[in-house]
Amino acid sequence: MILPILQYGDPILRIKGKRIEEIDGRIRELAANMIETMHAAHGVGLAAQQIGEALQLTVLDISAVEDRPSTLILDGKDITDPRTAMPLVLINPEIELRGETEVGVEGCLSFPEMTADIDRAHSVTVRAQNLEGEPIEIEANGFLARAIQHEHDHLDGILFIDRMSSAAKAALSSRLKRLQKETKRGIRHREPLVSETTL
Ligand code: ZN
């Protein structure tokens, strides 16, 4: 089932997600719906807050992104083509940032048609659980590392506007105010997709 994606201005986006203690049928259904919603919106990631659930749960799929390279080591195994491991479901993820930072363009399904350059770590290590409740460890580089950091931020109630330069945020300021107002009035109708690289 495709779920409505909450937009900037919805207070749920600012709530830190609760740890998931039990991975039951409801969580599995939620994750399946989030994957369907992410694909329908042509996003590369979706956090539970974006569909109205403040939980430590995010899904990712970077397989449609061809121009921004990623590498993935999953449970110690080098995945030659990271697309084959998609979609990823991360439950209760803990993230460790590694390496240099680099600037790259990002969008967000909760901010239609807005993008900005964001500085992120080039590499991350993530420890999480999968839908079977098993511990998984991911080492990611490049675009996948960026996507994971963006989604992990959502789980803490952090949005990409919080990581923009003040100049970038100022340039978007009137659009941000308008979106926030429309969301608060509950009158905004969701637009279909932004771009292939929308997180
Ligand atoms: Zn986002």
Side-chain angles (χ1 to χ4, degrees):
M1 189 170 69
I2 296 172
L3 306 167
I5 299 174
L6 304 189
Q7 310 280 281
Y8 176 55
D10 194 304
I12 295 175
L13 293 175
R14 287 303 193 181
I15 300 174
K16 186 177 163 72
K18 251 179 67 181
R19 192 180 160 79
I20 295 171
E21 300 299 343
E22 193 192 345
I23 300 163
D24 54 13
R26 187 183 156 268
I27 296 296
R28 281 190 287 272
E29 189 184 345
L30 190 61
N33 288 338
M34 284 171 63
I35 290 169
E36 195 181 342
T37 302
M38 168 180 68
H39 285 152
H42 302 276
V44 299
L46 189 68
Q49 277 85 345
Q50 291 178 283
I51 47 88
E53 298 277 353
L55 292 170
Q56 292 288 322
L57 167 64
T58 182
V59 299
L60 295 121
D61 189 341
I62 55 142
S63 53
V65 178
E66 286 173 355
D67 55 343
R68 301 174 76 179
S70 300
T71 64
L72 170 64
I73 298 173
L74 182 58
D75 294 330
K77 200 175 144 205
D78 200 343
I79 310 290
T80 319
D81 182 356
R83 290 177 298 181
T84 60
M86 303 292 140
L88 288 173
V89 176
L90 303 179
I91 297 171
N92 303 321
E94 283 169 24
I95 192 168
E96 209 177 295
L97 308 183
R98 294 170 33 238
E100 304 283 301
T101 65
E102 62 188 6
V103 170
V105 69
E106 285 182 25
C108 178
L109 292 173
S110 297
F111 294 79
E113 290 156 47
M114 292 185 216
T115 57
D117 284 338
I118 309 286
D119 203 23
R120 301 275 190 193
H122 179 71
S123 308
V124 295
T125 301
V126 182
R127 288 177 191 87
Q129 285 163 276
N130 63 17
L131 278 178
E132 284 70 50
E134 298 156 347
I136 53 170
E137 186 175 297
I138 285 171
E139 288 176 59
N141 286 283
F143 185 67
L144 179 59
R146 173 175 297 278
I148 289 171
Q149 290 171 76
H150 179 111
E151 299 312 326
H152 185 264
D153 273 354
H154 273 298
L155 302 183
D156 280 340
I158 296 167
L159 300 172
F160 81 146
I161 52 171
D162 305 337
R163 300 204 184 273
M164 282 178 197
S165 67
S166 48
K169 202 174 166 186
L172 290 172
S173 138
S174 62
R175 291 167 70 191
L176 288 169
K177 277 190 194 129
R178 193 163 63 234
L179 176 58
Q180 195 170 34
K181 215 161 129 186
E182 285 171 356
T183 300
K184 286 196 167 147
R185 283 188 188 148
I187 57 166
R188 185 173 171 87
H189 298 286
R190 217 155 272 107
E191 308 285 336
L193 259 245
V194 201
S195 84
E196 296 282 292
T197 53
T198 302
L199 300 166

